[in-house]
Amino acid sequence: MNICMLTWEYPPRIVGGISRHCEGLAREIAKSGHNVHIVTLEFPGASPYEEVDGVKIHRVPIELGHPDFIVWTLLFNHFMEKKIADISKNEKIDIIHAHDWLVAPASISSKHYLRVPLVSTIHSTEVGRAQGLYNPDSFLIDGFEWWLTYESKRVIVTSYAMKSELEGHFRLPSEKIDVIPNGIDISRYEINVDRNNVKRRFGIDPSERIILFIGRLVPQKGVEYLIMAAPKIFGQHPEARIVIVGDGWVKDNLWNLARSTGYPHKITFLGFLSDQDVIELTISSDVLVIPSIYEPFGIVALEGMAAGVPVVASNVGGLAEIIEHDRTGFLAYRENPDSIAWGVNKILSDFGYAQWLVQNAKKKVREVYSWKAVASRTIEIYEKALKG
Amino acid sequence: MRDRVTQITDEIYLLCILHNVGAIYPERALSIEEISCLASMEKQKVEENLNRLIEKGYAETKTSGETKKYFVTINGMRKVLSIYS
C-alpha cells in the first residue's frame, strides 16, 4: 500500500504530540512493508527530503507567507498540494492520511484530485483546546475540523473521550470513528542514567527531589494549577523542586504566578529540551505531574509510565483512560491545586506506594501501548477505507 | 487565559508575524520598516519588542549592508507554533 501522510509537524519540527505520533506510526507502518510518504513543513537545519527508517519525508518549503495565521495555513496547504501532485506523478497513492485540521485543505483536495480515500486522525479540537469558541479564528478552525471529518472515509481518535467529543460536537456518526491509542517506544526509556549527573546538568542539586512537568506552556495544559500547589507541596517536602520543561505563549504569566507563590527559587523553567534530555530528566524525576484541563490523549503520561516515574494527572479525557487511579497512577481533580498537592505529597512520602504505581504502570504500557499494535490497527482502518 | 487573540502581547504578536511571513532563516530576515508596515505598529515600539525577543532567544538579527534585519529562531518558532496547536 502507498500511504501519503500529511502533518504540519514531524521531527525535528516538534510542537506537541502529533510529531512523535506520526514518527512512531510511520516507522512501524513502513517496517511492516508498506510505502509511507510524509508530507510536512520545512524546518531550519532539516533536509527538504530524506528517507529515515524506510519513511520518505518531504519537507515542503513555504514559498510565500502572510501575517495572518489562517491565510498562512491556507498558503502552506497549497504548497503541500503541489508536493503531493509531484509524488503522485511517480507512484500511485492509495490512501491520504491527515493529522488534524492544519492540513485539512491539502488532504481534502488531494483526495478529490487523486480519487483515493481520506483517513483522518483528530488529535484534538479547537472547542476543546480553547474551552469554547471565542473569536473568528476559532470558529473558522472549528469549521475546518468538521469539514475534515465530513470528507474522511474513516476518522481515527486516540481516546474514547475524543470519540464522544466528535460525536457530540460534530454530530459525527459513531460507526465512522475508530479509537486507536497512541503508542510509545519503551526501549528508549530502558537506559541507565546517573540521576545525580543529570540533575547537576540542569542546575538541580542532587539532594532535591524533582516534580516534573513536560509540555507546551499553553492554557489547556493547566500548568498554573501545579504552580498553585507549590506551597502545599513544599510545606511538606522542602527537599522537592518543581521543574517545568517546555515553552509556550503563557510562559511569562506562569513565571509571574511562580513568583507570587513565595517559592520562585524552587520552581525552575528549563524551556524546550531535546528528546534525549527529556528522557534522562524524566528518568531522574520523582513524580511527573500532568495538570491538563483538556487532554484528548496525553502521550506524556505514557512517557512517564515507561520511564518508571509515578504519574499524577488530572482526571480528564484520555488521561483518565490511560491511568487507573491508585493502581497505575494518581488521578487528581481537574483545576484543583489541593488535589494535585495531595497526590504529589502521597507519592513523595510513601516509597512503597510510589513503587507499586510504577510497577503496574510499566506493565500496562508494555502490554497495551506498543507502536506495532497501533500500526497494525491503523493498517486495518486503511484496508477498511479502501474497501469502501 | 482562554482567548488566544486578545491575550497575546505585542511581543508575541510580532513574533507570529515574523514567523508567518517566513522570516525563519537569516536570508529571509526583515527590516524594522518592513515589520512595522506588516504589523501596523510604530517603528520605535517594534524595535523595543524585537529587542526583548532577542534577549529571550526568540529572535536574532543579521546585518545586510547598513540595515539591521530580524528573523525568528528555532525556539521562537516553537513559541509561535504553541499558539496554533
Side-chain angles (χ1 to χ4, degrees):
Chain A
M1 209 182 311
N2 285 330
I3 300 134
C4 183
M5 221 180 261
L6 282 78
T7 169
W8 84 316
E9 53 168 315
Y10 195 85
R13 188 184 171 99
I14 301 170
V15 185
I18 297 177
S19 189
R20 289 185 180 90
H21 173 97
C22 291
E23 185 187 36
L25 179 63
R27 278 181 176 177
E28 206 57 46
I29 292 176
K31 214 187 272 182
S32 62
H34 298 285
N35 192 18
V36 184
H37 289 274
I38 295 284
V39 176
T40 187
L41 296 180
E42 63 180 341
F43 195 72
S47 170
Y49 174 80
E50 63 181 335
E51 198 170 326
V52 181
D53 297 329
V55 179
K56 298 176 175 77
I57 306 158
H58 308 261
R59 294 191 179 89
V60 176
I62 308 170
E63 294 165 36
L64 184 64
H66 192 281
D68 181 80
F69 165 58
I70 299 286
V71 180
W72 173 74
T73 304
L74 294 173
L75 282 166
F76 81 63
N77 269 270
H78 170 67
F79 299 119
M80 281 183 156
E81 282 165 16
K82 280 170 64 180
K83 176 55 70 182
I84 296 165
D86 280 349
I87 298 168
S88 71
K89 278 180 197 160
N90 299 318
E91 54 188 288
K92 185 187 171 295
I93 291 169
D94 300 307
I95 285 274
I96 299 280
H97 187 167
H99 290 269
D100 266 6
W101 75 273
L102 285 139
V103 295
S107 306
I108 293 165
S109 66
S110 300
K111 161 197 150 171
H112 290 294
Y113 165 69
L114 298 171
R115 296 173 189 272
V116 296
L118 168 63
V119 171
S120 62
T121 298
I122 304 296
H123 294 268
S124 66
T125 62
E126 178 67 8
V127 73
R129 286 187 299 271
Q131 296 291 291
L133 302 173
Y134 298 113
N135 59 61
D137 278 8
S138 271
F139 272 96
L140 202 51
I141 293 167
D142 183 64
F144 274 117
E145 286 171 345
W146 170 81
W147 186 30
L148 180 60
T149 62
Y150 176 79
E151 290 274 358
S152 297
K153 195 100 177 186
R154 307 290 315 165
V155 175
I156 299 171
V157 291
T158 53
S159 67
Y160 288 93
M162 195 61 197
K163 181 178 184 199
S164 155
E165 198 180 315
L166 295 194
E167 286 167 0
H169 186 62
F170 293 139
R171 298 281 183 266
L172 205 62
S174 175
E175 58 273 19
K176 191 173 171 176
I177 312 171
D178 298 284
V179 179
I180 307 178
N182 263 309
I184 188 165
D185 180 359
I186 298 163
S187 66
R188 297 182 71 194
Y189 295 84
E190 292 173 331
I191 52 169
N192 287 322
V193 163
D194 182 334
R195 295 180 60 165
N196 290 347
N197 269 350
V198 172
K199 286 182 184 178
R200 278 194 209 100
R201 212 164 75 220
F202 294 106
I204 301 161
D205 191 281
S207 65
E208 290 182 305
R209 302 174 79 189
I210 299 178
I211 301 161
L212 184 67
F213 167 87
I214 306 165
R216 283 172 295 127
L217 304 185
V218 296
Q220 75 174 81
K221 298 294 177 187
V223 194
E224 62 267 39
Y225 300 105
L226 169 60
I227 294 173
M228 285 189 265
K232 289 207 166 157
I233 297 170
F234 297 138
Q236 277 196 37
H237 291 281
E239 79 287 8
R241 168 173 294 277
I242 293 176
V243 176
I244 296 170
V245 175
D247 204 340
W249 66 278
V250 297
K251 186 178 179 180
D252 289 346
N253 301 2
L254 294 172
W255 173 235
N256 288 334
L257 181 65
R259 281 199 293 203
S260 75
T261 63
Y263 291 94
H265 55 293
K266 291 183 77 64
I267 302 175
T268 302
F269 288 81
L270 289 180
F272 185 88
L273 298 182
S274 70
D275 275 2
Q276 194 55 35
D277 280 344
V278 169
I279 290 171
E280 290 181 17
L281 193 59
T282 307
I283 293 170
S284 306
S285 296
D286 297 87
V287 53
L288 175 72
V289 180
I290 312 168
S292 305
I293 57 171
Y294 172 74
E295 198 66 79
F297 185 78
I299 203 162
V300 70
L302 295 188
E303 291 166 347
M305 290 159 84
V309 183
V311 178
V312 171
S314 306
N315 190 9
V316 298
L319 292 171
E321 293 170 33
I322 299 168
I323 292 167
E324 196 181 332
H325 179 61
D326 259 352
R327 187 176 169 79
T328 58
F330 182 97
L331 286 175
Y333 294 117
R334 179 187 140 137
E335 298 177 74
N336 190 322
D338 286 352
S339 183
I340 291 169
W342 202 84
V344 169
N345 285 334
K346 190 175 177 189
I347 286 167
L348 291 181
S349 305
D350 187 342
F351 181 74
Y353 174 71
Q355 285 308 300
W356 154 257
L357 297 182
V358 164
Q359 280 166 16
N360 293 334
K362 271 194 166 177
K363 189 166 179 276
K364 185 172 181 186
V365 166
R366 201 179 292 278
E367 287 171 0
V368 182
Y369 299 104
S370 78
W371 277 121
K372 197 174 177 183
V374 173
S376 154
R377 291 189 57 195
T378 306
I379 291 164
E380 280 172 28
I381 305 300
Y382 293 158
E383 283 163 354
K384 212 190 272 187
L386 279 167
K387 277 179 194 157
Chain B
M1 293 278 277
R2 304 286 171 256
D3 185 334
R4 68 161 71 94
V5 169
T6 57
Q7 303 250 346
I8 286 173
T9 59
D10 284 347
E11 208 176 295
I12 301 294
Y13 172 64
L14 283 180
L15 195 65
C16 289
I17 285 184
L18 274 175
H19 169 270
N20 294 355
V21 299
I24 57 170
Y25 298 103
E27 55 271 30
R28 296 193 206 158
L30 297 175
S31 66
I32 291 270
E33 285 73 20
E34 288 168 319
I35 301 167
S36 167
C37 180
L38 287 166
S40 305
M41 197 185 282
E42 286 172 16
K43 278 193 269 186
Q44 195 190 334
K45 204 173 167 190
V46 169
E47 193 166 10
E48 284 167 11
N49 281 294
L50 286 172
N51 286 339
R52 278 198 289 274
L53 289 170
I54 291 166
E55 267 171 41
K56 292 175 181 174
Y58 296 136
E60 276 183 28
T61 55
K62 70 160 227 179
T63 309
S64 169
E66 286 184 1
T67 313
K68 208 176 183 184
K69 293 192 167 184
Y70 297 80
F71 65 97
V72 182
T73 61
I74 288 178
N75 278 342
M77 278 181 75
R78 291 198 166 104
K79 185 96 169 174
V80 171
L81 299 177
S82 78
I83 301 166
Y84 301 157
S85 64

